[in-house]
Amino acid sequence: MRAPFRRLAIVDHGEGAMRVLHTVRELDEQRADRVHLIAVHPDGARQSLPVRQADEAVAIGPAGSGPMDLEAVEAALVATHADAAWAGWDAVASRPAFAELCERLGIAFIGPDAATLRLASDKIAVKRLAEQAGVAVLPWSGGPVADADEAARHAVQLGFPLVLKPATGSGGVGVQRVEAPDQLPAAFAAARAEAEALGDGTLLAEAAVDHVRRLAVQVLADGQGTTWALGVRDATLSRGGRRILEESSCGALSAEQERDVRDAAVLVADAAGFRGAGTVEFLWDPEQRRPWFLKLVPHLQPGHP
């Protein structure tokens, strides 16, 4: 078993960083040894509140438009002798390379391991995992779709409307809704182009459903075999793929139905070997009164409060 950590690097500089600062300070009241908090931040966040309130701070250069520079982060972790790292819900929290970096340095990464992060980012693999765990998913192609002709063959079983979506990525990028067979070639080309821009042109086909609710279940797993589902949020109200309002809990579910959704979330998280705090999302079909697994988010989301 890993020894308790004493020096925690916070690789985030927004609201998440403040939450960790407050939480660790509260825990320190119950501990004999205080945790030393290290803020790892871009130059522009030097005067931010979490950086000023941390015990120690180290800048890693200017913030770019792309992913965080992991070489600079590694240098900061080594220089500050961190023995644990937390990446909040910044983009770096979903990068397997960061989890691998921590493992290589012998640093405890407070979150899922690299294998789980890769699984969560692969819509095809995680759908298969959910099916194996006995959790329902929307009718889909069962694997990647190579071209528009193959999509048309799947449409015979899936029916219309259907959606084409990239196997990687998030936020609805690359998702194309297809209402009729003659729309398939153009929709497939558009989805493929956007998927390739993300770095992976793999697509899948899935039945489109309307008049469903989008549910988010917060899960917490200790990495020792126990997973808790902390509650169900209704995240249906959105515009342009962006959530406007989340309600906790979902008033459309009975107590028994909410328990079913929580149980399904735990099944998915356990099957994925999940560790840490994250979110399992579902679509709730009010007619069939069942949850359809949507995705596993390997960290908390910015809107979760």
Side-chain angles (χ1 to χ4, degrees):
M1 179 177 290
R2 184 187 294 271
F5 57 79
R6 296 287 181 266
R7 298 177 63 82
L8 174 62
I10 303 173
V11 190
D12 190 6
H13 56 277
E15 179 199 9
M18 285 306 304
R19 286 173 176 265
V20 170
L21 283 162
H22 289 314
T23 300
V24 173
R25 295 291 186 245
E26 289 180 7
L27 290 173
D28 281 343
E29 297 297 323
Q30 308 168 31
R31 296 164 48 92
D33 298 321
R34 188 172 180 272
V35 176
H36 186 84
L37 295 174
I38 305 159
V40 178
H41 64 91
D43 292 345
R46 195 179 304 273
Q47 296 302 317
S48 67
L49 189 58
V51 171
R52 287 185 282 122
Q53 291 197 358
D55 299 308
E56 183 179 349
V58 56
I60 56 172
S65 58
M68 184 178 289
D69 183 353
L70 290 188
E71 289 188 4
V73 173
E74 177 176 358
L77 295 177
V78 172
T80 58
H81 305 287
D83 55 11
W86 182 87
W89 45 75
D90 191 84
V92 73
S94 298
R95 292 175 66 183
F98 183 68
E100 290 172 337
L101 165 63
C102 291
E103 182 178 351
R104 176 164 53 82
L105 295 177
I107 292 173
F109 173 53
I110 302 177
D113 61 22
T116 302
L117 291 174
R118 287 195 182 89
L119 175 68
S121 68
D122 185 336
K123 295 185 181 72
I124 291 175
V126 78
K127 275 181 177 290
R128 289 171 172 166
L129 181 85
E131 290 177 319
Q132 293 167 3
V135 177
V137 302
L138 285 171
W140 70 301
S141 53
V145 177
D147 51 37
D149 289 338
E150 185 176 352
R153 291 194 291 272
H154 285 295
V156 175
Q157 284 76 39
L158 299 176
F160 288 95
L162 61 79
V163 293
L164 299 170
K165 59 173 61 175
T168 59
S170 60
V173 177
V175 176
Q176 295 286 325
R177 181 179 172 111
V178 186
E179 301 287 348
D182 61 342
Q183 297 177 2
L184 267 174
F188 190 92
R192 170 64 60 82
E194 291 194 55
E196 289 176 342
L198 296 173
D200 183 350
T202 306
L203 300 179
L204 62 94
E206 184 179 74
V209 289
D210 297 311
H211 311 300
V212 293
R213 290 181 179 267
R214 185 159 181 160
L215 306 179
V217 184
Q218 215 74 70
V219 294
L220 185 65
D222 62 6
Q224 305 297 316
T226 303
T227 303
W228 298 267
L230 304 181
V232 179
R233 306 194 310 276
D234 188 331
T236 305
L237 187 58
S238 64
R239 182 177 183 181
R242 298 290 182 180
R243 298 176 187 182
I244 297 174
L245 179 68
E246 295 193 16
E247 178 185 4
S248 181
S249 57
C250 177
L253 303 183
S254 68
E256 181 179 0
Q257 290 167 343
E258 182 170 313
R259 184 173 63 250
D260 289 344
V261 176
R262 292 200 310 269
D263 290 346
V266 170
L267 285 173
V268 171
D270 285 346
F274 187 77
R275 179 187 66 210
T279 310
V280 185
E281 295 193 11
F282 297 89
L283 296 178
W284 175 260
D285 187 331
E287 292 185 359
Q288 298 193 35
R289 298 184 178 182
R290 66 185 303 183
W292 303 101
F293 168 74
L294 190 61
K295 63 180 177 178
L296 170 64
V297 181
H299 53 81
L300 294 179
Q301 296 157 304
H304 88 272

